[in-house]
Amino acid sequence: MASPSSALNKSSMVQQGRIRVLKEGSTPSGRDAGPVVYWMFRDQRLRDNWALIHAVDQANKANVPVAIAFNLFDQFLGAKARQLGFMLRGLRLLHRDLEQTLQIPFFLFQGEAIETIPNFLREYGASLLVTDFSPLREVQKWKEEICKRVGKKVSLHEVDAHNIVPTWVASEKLEYSARTIRGAEVPEIKWCESGENAAVEILMGSKNGFLTKRLKNYSTDRNNPLKPGALSGLSPYLHFGQISAQRCALEAKKIQKNCPQAVDVFLEELIVRRELADNFCFYQPRYNSLQGAWEWARKTLMDHASDKREHIYTKEQLENAQTADPLWNASQLEMVHYGKMHGFMRMYWAKKILEWTRGPEEALAISIYLNDKYEIDGRDPNGYVGCMWSICGVHDQGWQERQIFGKIRYMNYAGCKRKFDVDGYIAYVKRLVTETKKRKAESSLGKEAKELRV
Ligand code: FAD
């Protein structure tokens, strides 16, 4: 579908490899050209945003206005108040910054993008739609549908502003409707401030920035769940595109000689692991299914699918952290209440789900369901590939064959005990949960008091 295009101005400020022409319109020249619309989706930021730069660049060249459109889906991959609240707060700040700095109009729609975006293009008389790249199936399908629904003259450019190496190259009045975040089944989290400024603060702020203050412990402590501060904490910002991965890599490179090992390990995670996940989802349409695993992994998992399990738990038991393993329960509670499970525990957590369910398909479905429902950074290619890595051996090798796991890499409680203070982690999560529940009770009491006064 995508091809290099003559319609693409070769002197574009953005590298040609970042841009895919999904539809080439009968672009009118001169006075007939309509405005450019940037449909912001995955990269919710103004800084270091190649899609926005491309949209502004094309508008300047054609001497036409540019606008940003954002569509709030009624439902998107099961996002709850936790994820939507974070996103909406970020968008509110983005809108404020946009008005103060760039004076580009920002339009927020609610509903199905395949309707709102073509309708807006028509009303606005746009000639070019620029949009973010996402490897997820749903998003690709919307774009295909939008290509069919927009007028003949409209071109559609997709820009990969999320990856350092683009995936296909490597191989008016704004209302933030509370309607979208109804159903507080998964409440918002308070510790993670949203927005581009907060993201930059986490990356390199003078108080507790990752590169400024915490980097030196990354290579030694990143696998210790009792030291979450050793991790960057960037995943919510990267997921919602509130910071550019390229910016994170460039800033890390600048200080490489101070902490060479830590920077190397960080870049490996940030670039190789993260972009491999986009690569997998883009080229493997069954990225969240056993069918998407390599042949050897499917075979070994099916060979062991009916092995006897010591425990079998239902989805509800797992969701409510009702297993016989206090370490696993702690990790589940960290995710449910805090909204971000430590990276090391995510592997153990998913592997145990394989051990305790009726087979790999069920394990995968449950892990993705829980991950997407509770993680602030969920519904991301990294999440699908993280679950596929843990349960289906994607991007891993075969290991010594054993019950249930077959040749899939195995993790157990004893191994964790050798690596870190398991009891300390369980106690840490208990405190975290108590504090979160206390804050929740205080805030609902405050709300009731306010209502009484009214
Ligand atoms: P850091 O270690 O500081 O990493 C920096 C960045 O590098 C991360 O933000 C991420 O973009 C990237 N990165 C780090 N580890 C990985 C990895 N293993 N795979 C791909 N990219 C990586 N990540 C998500 O963003 N969303 C998810 O929903 C998600 N679910 C996961 C589920 C399972 C079962 C597993 C095993 C991993 C999952 N990951 C997910 C990957 C990883 O655990 C998180 O990216 C990381 O814990 C986020 O915290 P951080 O940014 O502080 O990590």
Side-chain angles (χ1 to χ4, degrees), residues 312-331:
I312 291 201
Y313 298 112
T314 62
K315 185 166 96 174
E316 289 68 33
Q317 284 171 313
L318 292 167
E319 188 156 9
N320 293 319
Q322 291 165 341
T323 77
D325 177 350
L327 175 59
W328 191 91
N329 293 345
S331 67

PDB file of all heavy atoms in Angstrom, residues 312-331:
ATOM      1  N   ILE A 312      -4.068 -24.863  39.454  1.00  0.00           N
ATOM      2  CA  ILE A 312      -4.703 -24.183  38.304  1.00  0.00           C
ATOM      3  C   ILE A 312      -5.582 -23.096  38.889  1.00  0.00           C
ATOM      4  O   ILE A 312      -6.438 -23.362  39.744  1.00  0.00           O
ATOM      5  CB  ILE A 312      -5.529 -25.153  37.437  1.00  0.00           C
ATOM      6  CG1 ILE A 312      -4.570 -26.119  36.730  1.00  0.00           C
ATOM      7  CG2 ILE A 312      -6.361 -24.385  36.420  1.00  0.00           C
ATOM      8  CD1 ILE A 312      -5.100 -26.805  35.511  1.00  0.00           C
ATOM      9  N   TYR A 313      -5.344 -21.852  38.467  1.00  0.00           N
ATOM     10  CA  TYR A 313      -6.145 -20.732  38.974  1.00  0.00           C
ATOM     11  C   TYR A 313      -7.007 -20.165  37.868  1.00  0.00           C
ATOM     12  O   TYR A 313      -6.617 -20.168  36.694  1.00  0.00           O
ATOM     13  CB  TYR A 313      -5.224 -19.627  39.511  1.00  0.00           C
ATOM     14  CG  TYR A 313      -4.365 -20.060  40.670  1.00  0.00           C
ATOM     15  CD1 TYR A 313      -2.975 -20.165  40.518  1.00  0.00           C
ATOM     16  CD2 TYR A 313      -4.919 -20.375  41.911  1.00  0.00           C
ATOM     17  CE1 TYR A 313      -2.169 -20.573  41.574  1.00  0.00           C
ATOM     18  CE2 TYR A 313      -4.117 -20.787  42.966  1.00  0.00           C
ATOM     19  CZ  TYR A 313      -2.751 -20.884  42.796  1.00  0.00           C
ATOM     20  OH  TYR A 313      -1.955 -21.290  43.841  1.00  0.00           O
ATOM     21  N   THR A 314      -8.157 -19.619  38.271  1.00  0.00           N
ATOM     22  CA  THR A 314      -9.025 -18.962  37.295  1.00  0.00           C
ATOM     23  C   THR A 314      -8.515 -17.530  37.086  1.00  0.00           C
ATOM     24  O   THR A 314      -7.721 -17.018  37.885  1.00  0.00           O
ATOM     25  CB  THR A 314     -10.477 -18.879  37.806  1.00  0.00           C
ATOM     26  OG1 THR A 314     -10.458 -18.086  39.012  1.00  0.00           O
ATOM     27  CG2 THR A 314     -11.057 -20.251  38.083  1.00  0.00           C
ATOM     28  N   LYS A 315      -9.061 -16.915  36.054  1.00  0.00           N
ATOM     29  CA  LYS A 315      -8.702 -15.512  35.781  1.00  0.00           C
ATOM     30  C   LYS A 315      -9.015 -14.647  37.005  1.00  0.00           C
ATOM     31  O   LYS A 315      -8.233 -13.783  37.383  1.00  0.00           O
ATOM     32  CB  LYS A 315      -9.495 -15.036  34.563  1.00  0.00           C
ATOM     33  CG  LYS A 315      -9.131 -13.645  34.113  1.00  0.00           C
ATOM     34  CD  LYS A 315      -9.660 -13.348  32.739  1.00  0.00           C
ATOM     35  CE  LYS A 315     -10.969 -12.616  32.811  1.00  0.00           C
ATOM     36  NZ  LYS A 315     -11.461 -12.173  31.506  1.00  0.00           N
ATOM     37  N   GLU A 316     -10.157 -14.900  37.639  1.00  0.00           N
ATOM     38  CA  GLU A 316     -10.573 -14.094  38.797  1.00  0.00           C
ATOM     39  C   GLU A 316      -9.614 -14.278  39.966  1.00  0.00           C
ATOM     40  O   GLU A 316      -9.243 -13.314  40.639  1.00  0.00           O
ATOM     41  CB  GLU A 316     -12.001 -14.464  39.239  1.00  0.00           C
ATOM     42  CG  GLU A 316     -13.097 -14.019  38.285  1.00  0.00           C
ATOM     43  CD  GLU A 316     -13.066 -14.764  36.952  1.00  0.00           C
ATOM     44  OE1 GLU A 316     -12.688 -15.973  36.925  1.00  0.00           O
ATOM     45  OE2 GLU A 316     -13.382 -14.144  35.914  1.00  0.00           O
ATOM     46  N   GLN A 317      -9.222 -15.529  40.199  1.00  0.00           N
ATOM     47  CA  GLN A 317      -8.273 -15.774  41.302  1.00  0.00           C
ATOM     48  C   GLN A 317      -6.951 -15.049  41.045  1.00  0.00           C
ATOM     49  O   GLN A 317      -6.376 -14.445  41.949  1.00  0.00           O
ATOM     50  CB  GLN A 317      -8.017 -17.279  41.469  1.00  0.00           C
ATOM     51  CG  GLN A 317      -9.165 -18.008  42.139  1.00  0.00           C
ATOM     52  CD  GLN A 317      -8.945 -19.528  42.082  1.00  0.00           C
ATOM     53  OE1 GLN A 317      -8.619 -20.094  41.051  1.00  0.00           O
ATOM     54  NE2 GLN A 317      -9.124 -20.174  43.230  1.00  0.00           N
ATOM     55  N   LEU A 318      -6.511 -15.094  39.809  1.00  0.00           N
ATOM     56  CA  LEU A 318      -5.257 -14.404  39.481  1.00  0.00           C
ATOM     57  C   LEU A 318      -5.439 -12.897  39.629  1.00  0.00           C
ATOM     58  O   LEU A 318      -4.616 -12.210  40.233  1.00  0.00           O
ATOM     59  CB  LEU A 318      -4.818 -14.762  38.056  1.00  0.00           C
ATOM     60  CG  LEU A 318      -4.381 -16.227  37.855  1.00  0.00           C
ATOM     61  CD1 LEU A 318      -4.261 -16.577  36.385  1.00  0.00           C
ATOM     62  CD2 LEU A 318      -3.054 -16.501  38.566  1.00  0.00           C
ATOM     63  N   GLU A 319      -6.545 -12.405  39.104  1.00  0.00           N
ATOM     64  CA  GLU A 319      -6.781 -10.950  39.164  1.00  0.00           C
ATOM     65  C   GLU A 319      -6.822 -10.468  40.613  1.00  0.00           C
ATOM     66  O   GLU A 319      -6.346  -9.385  40.933  1.00  0.00           O
ATOM     67  CB  GLU A 319      -8.090 -10.615  38.436  1.00  0.00           C
ATOM     68  CG  GLU A 319      -8.314  -9.129  38.274  1.00  0.00           C
ATOM     69  CD  GLU A 319      -9.234  -8.778  37.112  1.00  0.00           C
ATOM     70  OE1 GLU A 319      -9.841  -9.702  36.522  1.00  0.00           O
ATOM     71  OE2 GLU A 319      -9.343  -7.578  36.797  1.00  0.00           O
ATOM     72  N   ASN A 320      -7.383 -11.307  41.496  1.00  0.00           N
ATOM     73  CA  ASN A 320      -7.493 -10.922  42.909  1.00  0.00           C
ATOM     74  C   ASN A 320      -6.284 -11.352  43.737  1.00  0.00           C
ATOM     75  O   ASN A 320      -6.324 -11.307  44.967  1.00  0.00           O
ATOM     76  CB  ASN A 320      -8.776 -11.519  43.512  1.00  0.00           C
ATOM     77  CG  ASN A 320     -10.001 -10.894  42.883  1.00  0.00           C
ATOM     78  OD1 ASN A 320     -10.032  -9.677  42.657  1.00  0.00           O
ATOM     79  ND2 ASN A 320     -10.995 -11.700  42.555  1.00  0.00           N
ATOM     80  N   ALA A 321      -5.224 -11.740  43.073  1.00  0.00           N
ATOM     81  CA  ALA A 321      -3.971 -12.125  43.746  1.00  0.00           C
ATOM     82  C   ALA A 321      -4.205 -13.212  44.784  1.00  0.00           C
ATOM     83  O   ALA A 321      -3.675 -13.145  45.898  1.00  0.00           O
ATOM     84  CB  ALA A 321      -3.309 -10.899  44.376  1.00  0.00           C
ATOM     85  N   GLN A 322      -4.993 -14.213  44.386  1.00  0.00           N
ATOM     86  CA  GLN A 322      -5.297 -15.303  45.329  1.00  0.00           C
ATOM     87  C   GLN A 322      -4.568 -16.584  44.942  1.00  0.00           C
ATOM     88  O   GLN A 322      -5.185 -17.598  44.647  1.00  0.00           O
ATOM     89  CB  GLN A 322      -6.810 -15.556  45.355  1.00  0.00           C
ATOM     90  CG  GLN A 322      -7.573 -14.421  45.991  1.00  0.00           C
ATOM     91  CD  GLN A 322      -9.063 -14.498  45.692  1.00  0.00           C
ATOM     92  OE1 GLN A 322      -9.493 -15.163  44.747  1.00  0.00           O
ATOM     93  NE2 GLN A 322      -9.856 -13.814  46.501  1.00  0.00           N
ATOM     94  N   THR A 323      -3.248 -16.510  44.906  1.00  0.00           N
ATOM     95  CA  THR A 323      -2.484 -17.731  44.621  1.00  0.00           C
ATOM     96  C   THR A 323      -1.729 -18.131  45.889  1.00  0.00           C
ATOM     97  O   THR A 323      -1.680 -17.372  46.858  1.00  0.00           O
ATOM     98  CB  THR A 323      -1.471 -17.533  43.463  1.00  0.00           C
ATOM     99  OG1 THR A 323      -0.341 -16.812  43.964  1.00  0.00           O
ATOM    100  CG2 THR A 323      -2.075 -16.785  42.291  1.00  0.00           C
ATOM    101  N   ALA A 324      -1.098 -19.289  45.815  1.00  0.00           N
ATOM    102  CA  ALA A 324      -0.354 -19.766  46.987  1.00  0.00           C
ATOM    103  C   ALA A 324       1.057 -19.168  47.029  1.00  0.00           C
ATOM    104  O   ALA A 324       1.837 -19.499  47.911  1.00  0.00           O
ATOM    105  CB  ALA A 324      -0.281 -21.288  46.936  1.00  0.00           C
ATOM    106  N   ASP A 325       1.377 -18.304  46.059  1.00  0.00           N
ATOM    107  CA  ASP A 325       2.727 -17.749  45.966  1.00  0.00           C
ATOM    108  C   ASP A 325       2.705 -16.265  46.370  1.00  0.00           C
ATOM    109  O   ASP A 325       2.238 -15.404  45.599  1.00  0.00           O
ATOM    110  CB  ASP A 325       3.207 -17.910  44.506  1.00  0.00           C
ATOM    111  CG  ASP A 325       4.568 -17.297  44.263  1.00  0.00           C
ATOM    112  OD1 ASP A 325       5.086 -16.572  45.137  1.00  0.00           O
ATOM    113  OD2 ASP A 325       5.128 -17.530  43.172  1.00  0.00           O
ATOM    114  N   PRO A 326       3.199 -15.921  47.567  1.00  0.00           N
ATOM    115  CA  PRO A 326       3.129 -14.533  48.035  1.00  0.00           C
ATOM    116  C   PRO A 326       3.931 -13.571  47.168  1.00  0.00           C
ATOM    117  O   PRO A 326       3.585 -12.387  47.062  1.00  0.00           O
ATOM    118  CB  PRO A 326       3.710 -14.597  49.456  1.00  0.00           C
ATOM    119  CG  PRO A 326       4.418 -15.906  49.557  1.00  0.00           C
ATOM    120  CD  PRO A 326       3.824 -16.825  48.551  1.00  0.00           C
ATOM    121  N   LEU A 327       4.976 -14.093  46.516  1.00  0.00           N
ATOM    122  CA  LEU A 327       5.778 -13.217  45.638  1.00  0.00           C
ATOM    123  C   LEU A 327       4.960 -12.819  44.414  1.00  0.00           C
ATOM    124  O   LEU A 327       4.912 -11.650  44.029  1.00  0.00           O
ATOM    125  CB  LEU A 327       7.067 -13.953  45.224  1.00  0.00           C
ATOM    126  CG  LEU A 327       7.955 -13.228  44.216  1.00  0.00           C
ATOM    127  CD1 LEU A 327       8.415 -11.874  44.749  1.00  0.00           C
ATOM    128  CD2 LEU A 327       9.167 -14.080  43.832  1.00  0.00           C
ATOM    129  N   TRP A 328       4.309 -13.806  43.812  1.00  0.00           N
ATOM    130  CA  TRP A 328       3.485 -13.513  42.636  1.00  0.00           C
ATOM    131  C   TRP A 328       2.336 -12.571  43.024  1.00  0.00           C
ATOM    132  O   TRP A 328       2.052 -11.604  42.319  1.00  0.00           O
ATOM    133  CB  TRP A 328       2.920 -14.803  42.024  1.00  0.00           C
ATOM    134  CG  TRP A 328       2.292 -14.550  40.678  1.00  0.00           C
ATOM    135  CD1 TRP A 328       2.905 -14.618  39.472  1.00  0.00           C
ATOM    136  CD2 TRP A 328       0.937 -14.132  40.423  1.00  0.00           C
ATOM    137  NE1 TRP A 328       2.014 -14.284  38.474  1.00  0.00           N
ATOM    138  CE2 TRP A 328       0.800 -13.975  39.029  1.00  0.00           C
ATOM    139  CE3 TRP A 328      -0.165 -13.868  41.232  1.00  0.00           C
ATOM    140  CZ2 TRP A 328      -0.388 -13.579  38.424  1.00  0.00           C
ATOM    141  CZ3 TRP A 328      -1.358 -13.460  40.616  1.00  0.00           C
ATOM    142  CH2 TRP A 328      -1.464 -13.324  39.232  1.00  0.00           C
ATOM    143  N   ASN A 329       1.702 -12.874  44.174  1.00  0.00           N
ATOM    144  CA  ASN A 329       0.587 -12.025  44.625  1.00  0.00           C
ATOM    145  C   ASN A 329       1.054 -10.579  44.797  1.00  0.00           C
ATOM    146  O   ASN A 329       0.349  -9.637  44.432  1.00  0.00           O
ATOM    147  CB  ASN A 329       0.034 -12.532  45.964  1.00  0.00           C
ATOM    148  CG  ASN A 329      -0.634 -13.889  45.818  1.00  0.00           C
ATOM    149  OD1 ASN A 329      -0.925 -14.324  44.708  1.00  0.00           O
ATOM    150  ND2 ASN A 329      -0.887 -14.560  46.938  1.00  0.00           N
ATOM    151  N   ALA A 330       2.268 -10.419  45.336  1.00  0.00           N
ATOM    152  CA  ALA A 330       2.787  -9.063  45.545  1.00  0.00           C
ATOM    153  C   ALA A 330       2.941  -8.345  44.199  1.00  0.00           C
ATOM    154  O   ALA A 330       2.570  -7.169  44.061  1.00  0.00           O
ATOM    155  CB  ALA A 330       4.121  -9.123  46.287  1.00  0.00           C
ATOM    156  N   SER A 331       3.471  -9.059  43.206  1.00  0.00           N
ATOM    157  CA  SER A 331       3.664  -8.396  41.908  1.00  0.00           C
ATOM    158  C   SER A 331       2.320  -8.018  41.285  1.00  0.00           C
ATOM    159  O   SER A 331       2.167  -6.932  40.700  1.00  0.00           O
ATOM    160  CB  SER A 331       4.475  -9.276  40.958  1.00  0.00           C
ATOM    161  OG  SER A 331       3.738 -10.433  40.610  1.00  0.00           O
TER     162      SER A 331
END
